[in-house]
Amino acid sequence: MNKLKGLMVIICLYFLSACSSDSVVKENPTVPTVITESITINGSAITDGKPKQLTLNILPINVSTKAVSWTTSSAAATISSDGILTPKLNGTVTVTATATDGSGKVGELQVNISGVTTVYTSITRAESILIWQRNNGGWGKAVPDLNSYSAVQTEAQKATALSTKNSTDTTIDNGHVVTELRYLLADYKTSNNPNYLFAAEKAIDYLFQAQYSNGGWPQYYPDKSLYRHQITYNDNAIVNVMNLMWDIIKSKNNLELVNPKYKALADISFKKGIDIILKTQITSPSGKKSAWCAQHDEITLLPALARAYELPSVSGSESVGVIRTLMLVEQPSEAVKQAIKDAVDWFALAKIFDISTKQVPDATGPNGYDVVIYTTPGTTTWARFYDLNTNLPFFCGRDGVKKASLAEIEIERRAGYSWYGNWASTIIGSEYTAWKTKNGL
């Protein structure tokens, strides 16, 4: 038995020696990866409204992986992961196939679609919004009360809307464009009517097109008459757009319903918007940053005049929304942190104590009342406008002349505009505290 064990040990040692020698055959070298050089999509027009299989030619033929990511340019059609194009609306759609091997190669095909006869569920609000949407994707102020979209539009309204389809006075003022497209997405979610998604995406395209290269948005686009060309924070115009871009980036509040291509575009747009916010923050005569004007010149970036009573100033109202937009930034840069701190510090200094406004009946007022100031101990408020040099509140009527008190301007402007408010009460309190905690400050 011992001799047998010894023999087995000798045999094992022999094989171990043989395996470690140069006589062992080595493994084959790794096969090199071949990446995509070109992609061609094969297909033709859809004339019967039915789904169609698209095919690919990918070169070289020995490419390591032929996997692609399919997308379409709009809600006019959807496409499956294996290239089946399903039409939803008549029109034209661009189909894109992107290589997933990191080569960056893309193939595109424009497909004309006709023959779609599907009748989709309709919702009154969305149908009204479609009627008033301009050809450039935006909306004007023809429907000033956004709640009016919930009513069926009259024949006269339809005729007016049709005659103004090419008008260029489309605007982000008073919540327009952003509100309409949010309504459309909500109604699309309920009805699954692709017309609503298509119109919402057209509105998003309008917002991308309207943004200046420096990151700002004008109040109107493409109409740039009067003060409409200025970068506009007034009435939260840019803030509304930035919040929309943020929702696209984060795929929330129904913006997860839009084409995935918008996420990368919104990320770029949002970052440019943050950059222009930082650049337009006003520097006081002391050299310290304060807040923002309701509108800024798009070239010089300085505070600018809008209507006669909206003079260059530091805004105690619009600046609040701007700070909230900056607070959205995740992992904020030192520049963003400093901008928020400086603005909050300015609001703390701009507090006005122990006064409030009150409406009193007056038949000569624009709404049957006047607005007066009265003493209310223990209250804190802010003025709409602060002087750029003195940081003192001021008021202005349609004559464009600064006044030191609200009582000095005409009743039409005194009672027809918001001159005081508690706009910053939470932003410099609980919101700022929460933001600092979140960012470890």
Side-chain angles (χ1 to χ4, degrees):
M1 181 63 70
N2 289 335
K3 290 182 178 179
L4 180 59
K5 288 182 178 179
L7 180 60
M8 292 176 65
V9 169
I10 293 170
I11 293 172
C12 287
L13 289 172
Y14 172 80
F15 278 107
L16 285 173
S17 175
C19 289
S20 63
S21 69
D22 292 338
S23 63
V24 176
V25 178
K26 293 181 171 59
E27 294 182 1
N28 290 330
T30 303
V31 176
T33 299
V34 180
I35 65 172
T36 303
E37 294 179 2
S38 68
I39 299 175
T40 302
I41 304 175
N42 303 308
S44 58
I46 293 176
T47 58
D48 57 4
K50 295 180 180 179
K52 173 168 287 190
Q53 175 71 63
L54 304 182
T55 60
L56 297 171
N57 284 339
I58 300 178
L59 296 177
I61 59 174
N62 63 331
V63 65
S64 296
T65 176
K66 293 187 176 182
V68 300
S69 173
W70 292 94
T71 58
T72 59
S73 60
S74 74
T78 60
I79 192 160
S80 67
S81 59
D82 54 356
I84 298 176
L85 184 65
T86 301
K88 300 292 183 181
L89 303 170
N90 293 317
T92 301
V93 66
T94 300
V95 179
T96 302
T98 304
T100 61
D101 60 3
S103 64
K105 298 301 180 181
V106 174
E108 288 188 346
L109 178 69
Q110 192 173 77
V111 179
N112 294 320
I113 300 171
S114 59
V116 178
T117 58
T118 306
V119 177
Y120 297 104
T121 300
S122 64
I123 295 177
T124 297
R125 181 176 67 176
E127 293 297 323
S128 297
I129 292 171
L130 292 184
I131 288 170
W132 287 102
Q133 187 175 30
R134 302 279 173 75
N135 288 335
N136 65 12
W139 288 265
K141 292 185 179 180
V143 181
D145 183 353
L146 295 167
N147 293 318
S148 298
Y149 286 123
S150 295
V152 175
Q153 303 299 288
T154 66
E155 292 305 314
Q157 288 172 322
K158 291 178 183 178
T160 300
L162 181 63
S163 69
T164 57
K165 283 292 184 181
N166 289 321
S167 295
T168 60
D169 60 337
T170 36
T171 180
I172 59 172
D173 192 28
N174 294 347
H176 285 289
V177 181
V178 171
T179 302
E180 281 98 344
L181 77 84
R182 285 191 184 276
Y183 283 168
L184 285 168
L185 289 174
D187 291 344
Y188 168 70
K189 191 172 185 177
T190 300
S191 65
N192 206 32
N193 186 330
N195 289 288
Y196 306 157
L197 178 59
F198 184 88
E201 292 182 345
K202 189 174 181 180
I204 295 173
D205 289 334
Y206 166 85
L207 292 174
F208 287 135
Q209 187 176 17
Q211 188 176 25
Y212 286 130
S213 59
N214 63 14
W217 277 272
Q219 188 180 58
Y220 285 72
Y221 178 84
D223 181 357
K224 295 185 178 181
S225 60
L226 303 172
Y227 54 84
R228 295 178 173 185
H229 56 89
Q230 294 168 354
I231 293 172
T232 304
Y233 300 117
N234 194 24
D235 292 332
N236 290 322
I238 285 179
V239 168
N240 291 336
V241 178
M242 289 288 280
N243 284 334
L244 181 85
M245 295 301 165
W246 185 253
D247 285 350
I248 296 173
I249 295 167
K250 295 300 179 181
S251 298
K252 65 178 186 177
N253 296 328
N254 292 333
L255 271 302
E256 71 277 6
L257 302 173
V258 303
N259 196 311
K261 71 179 182 180
Y262 288 120
K263 184 171 289 192
L265 296 172
D267 185 60
I268 294 170
S269 178
F270 184 85
K271 288 175 179 174
K272 288 170 62 178
I274 293 297
D275 187 55
I276 199 63
I277 286 174
L278 297 179
K279 289 178 179 177
T280 51
Q281 189 171 18
I282 298 167
T283 302
S284 67
S286 67
K288 184 175 174 60
K289 295 284 188 179
S290 56
W292 292 265
C293 184
Q295 53 280 322
H296 288 252
D297 185 275
E298 73 276 18
I299 305 300
T300 67
L301 307 186
L302 295 173
L305 170 72
R307 289 173 288 191
Y309 52 89
E310 294 172 330
L311 304 180
S313 63
V314 186
S315 171
S317 173
E318 280 77 12
S319 295
V320 172
V322 178
I323 296 173
R324 288 195 176 111
T325 300
L326 288 174
M327 285 181 171
L328 289 174
V329 177
E330 297 171 336
Q331 299 179 340
S333 65
E334 290 304 315
V336 170
K337 293 177 185 177
Q338 190 63 49
I340 293 171
K341 181 183 183 304
D342 288 343
V344 169
D345 287 346
W346 177 83
F347 269 109
L349 291 172
K351 288 179 181 177
I352 302 170
F353 299 101
D354 303 328
I355 66 166
S356 297
T357 58
K358 179 167 57 178
Q359 295 178 359
V360 295
D362 191 320
T364 64
N367 298 299
Y369 61 81
D370 193 2
V371 173
V372 298
I373 305 297
Y374 67 105
T375 301
T376 50
T379 60
T380 301
T381 191
W382 285 267
R384 184 70 173 264
F385 302 128
Y386 289 80
D387 188 274
L388 291 167
N389 295 311
T390 66
N391 206 42
L392 294 175
F394 71 84
F395 311 86
C396 191
R398 293 189 182 275
D399 60 3
V401 179
K402 286 184 183 180
K403 306 293 194 306
S405 67
L406 185 59
E408 295 178 68
I409 66 173
E410 68 270 22
I411 189 173
E412 185 272 332
R413 280 297 81 200
R414 189 165 61 239
Y417 201 68
S418 298
W419 296 100
Y420 288 100
N422 63 347
W423 303 294
S425 58
T426 61
I427 196 72
I428 70 170
S430 58
E431 290 181 65
Y432 185 51
T433 299
W435 175 79
K436 287 195 296 183
T437 300
K438 178 182 177 181
N439 291 281
L441 301 174

